[in-house]
Structures are given as structure tokens and as C-alpha cells.
Amino acid sequence: MSRTLFEKIVAREIPAQIIHEDDLALAFHDIHPQAPVHVLVIPKKPIPRIAEACESDQALLGHLMWTAARVAEKLELTAGGYRLVINNGANGGETVPHLHCHLLGGRPMAWPPG
Ligand code: AMP
């Protein structure tokens, strides 16, 4: 099976502005930011989307949320607030089939989302 764009970023085959890395996760700035701060937090394991995460991925999914909050702190978003988004499938707006959590901040977010 072909490797995802984000696996290539993990392997440093495609450049990205990486802001955090640990054994399980990578965080990097989105190439088309939708807010003053727009970071993607991904598992290194290529889970295609949240719907396809396994029971055994639960700790990893928690780690992604925890990491997103730490990255938000590092970017000084905590006081002002921020949004975490996971798009799943066509109606969710998913375009890259490698699970990722969007961290958006630096401006007020509208609700409902588009
Ligand atoms: P989604 O639509 O939820 O699947 O989000 C995919 C995100 O990946 C989009 O916000 C894209 O702008 C972003 N993206 C695509 N290619 C790259 C890249 N090479 N580096 C960083 N972000 C990217």
C-alpha cells in the first residue's frame, strides 16, 4: 500500500515546519493555514481516520489530544482559547487519509463550522 503524505513528513522525505515530535506523534504547521495558528497533530502510526482506529489505539488517541494541548501551550494559545478539529471522511472534509487533529487558534472561531 502506498504511504501517506504525512508518513513522508514523519520520514522527513517531504519538508514541514515541525513544532513537536515524540515517539508516538508529530506536530507541524499546516501548509494552508485557516487561522493565525494552524497546526496538525498526527500519530506516527498511519491510522487512516478516527473511524478506523482500533480498540488498542485508545492510549495513542489520548496521547494525541494531550499533545495538542501541550503544543497549544507552547504556542501561547491556552489563555485565549483554541479549537481542535478532526475531519472524518467525505462529509467531514477529510482530504488526507492519515489521522490528524487540527489545532486552530489566534482568532475567535465561529460556530457552527462551515
Ligand atoms: P483534512 O482536510 O482534515 O484532511 O486536513 C488536511 C490538511 O493537511 C489540510 O489542512 C491541508 O492544508 C494540510 N496539508 C496538506 N499537505 C500538507 C503539507 N505538505 N504540509 C502541511 N500540511 C499539509
Side-chain angles (χ1 to χ4, degrees):
M1 207 171 102
S2 64
R3 289 155 72 239
T4 67
L5 173 66
F6 291 171
E7 283 180 274
K8 292 176 185 169
I9 288 177
V10 171
R12 309 302 203 268
E13 292 164 19
I14 290 177
Q17 268 187 278
I18 293 169
I19 173 166
H20 170 87
E21 180 168 26
D22 60 46
D23 289 350
L24 299 173
L26 190 74
F28 52 90
H29 290 275
D30 196 291
I31 205 166
H32 293 124
Q34 302 300 316
V37 177
H38 188 173
V39 167
L40 302 175
V41 184
I42 71 164
K44 289 184 171 176
K45 177 182 175 183
I47 300 167
R49 56 195 58 81
I50 189 70
E52 289 174 49
C54 305
E55 189 172 357
S56 59
D57 290 324
Q58 286 180 78
L60 175 57
L61 299 179
H63 181 73
L64 289 182
M65 295 296 99
W66 188 86
T67 300
R70 300 291 74 71
V71 171
E73 263 175 11
K74 188 170 178 176
L75 294 171
E76 301 184 336
L77 296 175
T78 308
Y82 53 86
R83 182 171 290 176
L84 301 180
V85 174
I86 295 176
N87 297 326
N88 189 95
N91 279 356
E94 174 201 310
T95 59
V96 177
H98 183 134
L99 178 61
H100 48 282
C101 176
H102 297 259
L103 164 61
L104 298 147
R107 65 165 170 82
M109 301 291 152
W111 193 264

